[in-house]
Amino acid sequence: MKEELLKLLEEEYPEVDFHAENLVDDGILDSLTLVGMIGTISMEYGIQIPYEEIVSENFNSLDAIAALVERLR
């Protein structure tokens, strides 16, 4: 799952280093990129990410994003 997600995100957002930690906290992901990622992930995996799940802890690393997707599938 994690490798599949990484491939998807790297194809859509090649400028982002998804191997970095603290993607949100360090400003690697800006708000527009984050909104786009949420749409991409939602469409690819057929999930809806509830507003209350859109917090930095869920998007700060590839591991956190993968855990969120797994939880919502």
Side-chain angles (χ1 to χ4, degrees), residues 6-43:
L6 177 61
K7 182 179 176 187
L8 171 70
L9 293 176
E10 285 181 335
E11 286 175 5
E12 293 291 322
Y13 305 95
E15 71 281 2
V16 176
D17 177 12
F18 288 100
H19 297 285
E21 295 294 319
N22 301 315
L23 293 168
V24 175
D25 292 343
D26 289 347
I28 296 169
L29 291 179
D30 61 24
S31 58
L32 287 176
T33 304
L34 188 55
V35 168
M37 281 178 46
I38 291 168
T40 299
I41 291 167
S42 295
M43 299 239 344

Side-chain angles (χ1 to χ4, degrees), residues 22-69:
N22 301 315
L23 293 168
V24 175
D25 292 343
D26 289 347
I28 296 169
L29 291 179
D30 61 24
S31 58
L32 287 176
T33 304
L34 188 55
V35 168
M37 281 178 46
I38 291 168
T40 299
I41 291 167
S42 295
M43 299 239 344
E44 180 69 23
Y45 294 100
I47 60 173
Q48 290 186 0
I49 300 174
Y51 179 76
E52 59 271 6
E53 294 285 351
I54 304 172
V55 293
S56 62
E57 293 84 20
N58 287 335
F59 292 91
N60 240 351
S61 68
L62 182 62
D63 287 336
I65 299 168
L68 174 67
V69 172

